[in-house]
Amino acid sequence: MAVEQGVTGGLPVRSSVWPLALLAAAGAVFGALVLTMTASGRDAAATTTQFSASVGGLYLIAGVIATARQPRNRIALLLVAVGIGWFAEDLQVSIDPLVHSAGLLVRSASMGFLVHLLLTFPSGTTHSRIDRGLTATGYLMVFGIVPLSALSLPSLTPNLLLAWPLPFQTVQRIIDGIQLAMGAAVVAVLARRWVLASAPARRVLAPVFGAGLVGGAASVLDAMLGTGPSWSHRVLIAIAHVAMLALPVAFLAGVWRVRLGRTSVADLLVRLSGSPPTQLRDLLAKALGDPSLRIGYTRPDQDNESSYIDSHGRPLEVPPGSAVTAVRRDGRQVAVLMHDPALREDRHVLEAVTSAAALELDNQRLAAEVRAQLVEVRASRARIVAAGDEQRRRVERDLHDGAQQRLVTVALTLRLARQRMERGTTPDDELAELLRRSADGLEDALAELRELARGIHPSVLNDLGLLAALRALAARSPQPVELTAPALPDLPAPIAATAYFVAAEAVTNALKHAGAQHIHIDVRLDTGLRLAVLDDGVGGADLAAGTGLLGLRDRVSAVDGTLTVRSAPGTGTTVTARLPVVSA
């Protein structure tokens, strides 16, 4: 994917403009000579000298303007070629047999270039094999079949090339049939391209395609109805001629529209000063006329300029088929615009918009980088909490499967030793008492170890879920703990663990520090999971004073939740956690 570079200055006139300008000037001189030589042979009912001069001249002028705007685009060369070909076609009007005969060879010269122009506008390159085939067929017709037909075409002015005379109608019918097929194919391709085009592309295509479709349709109808002296022939030929005249005018209008498009940049500047940053994308999309526009910013943690984030700091991929234009300020890339490729044809407007919005985009880039860093901090904190939970589960499993099982085995061994000694022939009461006390001490140590393992990470939380773990927590409390909770769905492990540890810490604080006689755990499901622990203790708990509550707040924030503590002195304490994820 190529990135178009934003430009802030005007478009310089490059040296590549001059060859085409000289060619256009030569075409104008050629046209003047042709019009002079053919003035006496023109029919009053046919095209006038003024009309021919206007059409050919406008194509030459449009070509010069096009090459000044886009020196590397072949559209300019095709426009000049159409103008020269148009003048060449008028050679057949001459009453001089030599000039007239030469004119018969190129009597459709402009049509080959015109077909090529319509099929490649505005990029100057063909879009498909159908386009290339039609273009090649058009050139074959006007520079192959038409010159060959001059060998058999009789005319009022002597045709010096006439070798195998055929009836005029026969020759013309063959040419009309080929033109009919060509015109219908070109009209179909242009219509299909218009239907599939995006809104920005249609703005560029509209003037030229409108004139091209009208002219093409008129030529097709004229070929279908015949070219005899009838009112329909005169009307359709007039429409085709007007279309020929309108096509360069339409191109010039498109160029003029691009220049006038800078008024949208002025509107953009006015709106930028009074609009919130959140509307920046909409303002740029309106100024460019591209609703699909997206803004990307280079990731602050990567040197790769093809990796982007959006205004919220989230990763952003370039949509398929989009063009990317870089926006630079003071030599730095501050953003990219992902837009419809057709906007490349409106380089003046695109460059003016990127220049006007560069400062605001730079500000938005800084804000996006901060948001991206915040997103990464949250993700990092969540990873730390998840890693801590995993370590807790691992320690709990190690205690349960390792030390706890060994202690159970030792306690059992001590009891068996005591029983065997008591059944012996010489009982030792003192040793039996020592064995009993050792076994009882191991039982107490096992109970403490189980409680420690539950405090690290209760296995019931993994095995049976949050509700069962809360019930076990309430059952172990020395003071009454009431649990109110609906049936809970399966919860993601981080959410379930966070809710459990909030409840466990709040219950522990109520028992140790608040002297609570009654504790209530309330769980609700609405837009998220809400867990509240209420006690009737002395109150006065401060979220900023204790590391336990602070740790809970960090843990809750790691899963994008919130923790609140209400604890006025003498009124008890309420710890409430709201967690955004409800079910797995």
Side-chain angles (χ1 to χ4, degrees), residues 194 198-207 254 257 285 287-291 343 346:
W194 174 264
S198 61
R202 287 182 178 178
R203 290 200 311 275
V204 176
L205 298 175
R257 183 188 59 79
L288 292 172
D290 181 10
L343 290 179
D346 277 357

Side-chain angles (χ1 to χ4, degrees), residues 363-426:
N363 294 335
Q364 290 294 303
R365 174 188 62 82
L366 296 174
E369 288 182 358
V370 172
R371 295 187 187 101
Q373 292 169 355
L374 180 60
V375 168
E376 180 57 32
V377 167
R378 288 177 175 172
S380 176
R381 185 164 56 182
R383 289 193 296 269
I384 291 173
V385 170
D389 285 342
E390 179 58 31
Q391 286 297 110
R392 285 171 175 266
R393 285 191 290 270
R394 183 179 302 170
V395 171
E396 187 274 334
R397 286 195 302 268
D398 290 345
L399 289 176
H400 181 273
D401 299 335
Q404 186 174 329
Q405 295 300 325
R406 292 191 185 93
L407 289 176
V408 169
T409 301
V410 172
L412 180 61
T413 302
L414 286 174
R415 291 189 183 280
L416 290 174
R418 178 187 172 194
Q419 291 174 2
R420 176 171 294 185
M421 187 198 67
E422 289 176 348
R423 290 196 300 267
T425 55
T426 56

Side-chain angles (χ1 to χ4, degrees), residues 48-102:
T48 64
T49 300
Q50 292 78 8
F51 180 80
S52 291
S54 298
V55 173
L58 281 173
Y59 275 102
L60 297 178
I61 293 171
V64 173
I65 294 176
T67 196
R69 181 169 174 262
Q70 292 183 325
R72 295 184 178 89
N73 195 324
R74 285 187 290 180
I75 288 295
L77 178 59
L78 289 173
L79 285 165
V80 172
V82 172
I84 295 175
W86 177 266
F87 287 132
E89 291 177 8
D90 277 0
L91 290 173
Q92 64 181 311
V93 179
S94 175
I95 59 176
D96 181 273
L98 181 60
V99 177
H100 170 73
S101 300

Side-chain angles (χ1 to χ4, degrees), residues 239-285:
I239 293 175
H241 285 174
V242 170
M244 283 294 294
L245 180 62
L247 189 56
V249 173
F251 185 85
L252 293 176
V255 175
W256 182 244
R257 183 188 59 79
V258 169
R259 294 295 185 179
L260 290 180
R262 295 193 177 188
T263 58
S264 64
V265 178
D267 293 339
L268 174 64
L269 288 172
V270 173
R271 292 178 179 273
L272 279 177
S273 61
S275 300
T278 54
Q279 295 184 6
L280 178 59
R281 194 214 72 87
D282 295 336
L283 292 175
L284 293 179

Side-chain angles (χ1 to χ4, degrees), residues 74-390:
R74 285 187 290 180
I75 288 295
L77 178 59
L78 289 173
L79 285 165
V80 172
V82 172
I84 295 175
W86 177 266
F87 287 132
E89 291 177 8
D90 277 0
L91 290 173
Q92 64 181 311
V93 179
S94 175
I95 59 176
D96 181 273
L98 181 60
V99 177
H100 170 73
S101 300
L104 292 178
L105 294 174
V106 291
R107 67 182 187 274
S108 298
S110 67
M111 299 310 296
F113 299 116
L114 185 59
V115 168
H116 194 178
L117 172 64
L118 289 172
L119 292 177
T120 59
F121 183 81
S123 64
T125 58
T126 52
H127 300 82
S128 66
R129 286 182 294 179
I130 294 178
D131 292 349
R132 291 189 287 273
L134 284 176
T135 300
T137 303
Y139 283 126
L140 176 63
M141 184 185 74
V142 300
F143 295 117
I145 297 175
V146 169
L148 186 62
S149 70
L151 301 178
S152 303
L153 184 66
S155 60
L156 296 177
T157 301
N159 178 8
L160 302 181
L161 301 173
L162 191 61
W164 306 287
L166 293 174
F168 178 84
Q169 294 296 336
T170 301
V171 177
Q172 195 61 44
R173 192 176 295 114
I174 295 174
I175 299 300
D176 287 346
I178 298 174
Q179 288 181 338
L180 174 61
M182 277 291 303
V186 171
V187 169
V189 169
L190 296 183
R192 180 177 182 272
R193 188 174 301 162
W194 174 264
V195 170
L196 299 178
S198 61
R202 287 182 178 178
R203 290 200 311 275
V204 176
L205 298 175
V208 175
F209 270 35
L213 286 171
V214 170
S219 298
V220 169
L221 287 175
D222 185 51
M224 291 175 62
L225 298 176
T227 58
S230 64
W231 69 269
S232 61
H233 173 66
R234 291 193 297 271
V235 170
L236 292 173
I237 286 298
I239 293 175
H241 285 174
V242 170
M244 283 294 294
L245 180 62
L247 189 56
V249 173
F251 185 85
L252 293 176
V255 175
W256 182 244
R257 183 188 59 79
V258 169
R259 294 295 185 179
L260 290 180
R262 295 193 177 188
T263 58
S264 64
V265 178
D267 293 339
L268 174 64
L269 288 172
V270 173
R271 292 178 179 273
L272 279 177
S273 61
S275 300
T278 54
Q279 295 184 6
L280 178 59
R281 194 214 72 87
D282 295 336
L283 292 175
L284 293 179
K286 183 177 181 180
L288 292 172
D290 181 10
S292 68
L293 180 76
R294 303 181 74 179
I295 303 174
Y297 305 93
T298 305
R299 291 180 62 90
D301 55 344
Q302 296 187 13
D303 294 331
N304 184 6
E305 288 193 348
S306 63
S307 180
Y308 308 114
I309 56 175
D310 61 14
S311 59
H312 299 288
R314 298 174 299 214
L316 178 63
E317 298 293 333
V318 179
S322 292
V324 178
T325 295
V327 181
R328 296 186 177 275
R329 181 168 180 263
D330 298 332
R332 297 177 295 105
Q333 178 175 308
V334 298
V336 295
L337 301 184
M338 305 172 189
H339 56 80
D340 192 292
L343 290 179
R344 288 174 175 169
E345 305 303 324
D346 277 357
R347 290 299 312 180
H348 293 286
V349 174
L350 184 59
E351 292 162 4
V353 167
T354 55
S355 298
L359 176 58
E360 184 61 30
L361 286 169
D362 198 10
N363 294 335
Q364 290 294 303
R365 174 188 62 82
L366 296 174
E369 288 182 358
V370 172
R371 295 187 187 101
Q373 292 169 355
L374 180 60
V375 168
E376 180 57 32
V377 167
R378 288 177 175 172
S380 176
R381 185 164 56 182
R383 289 193 296 269
I384 291 173
V385 170
D389 285 342
E390 179 58 31

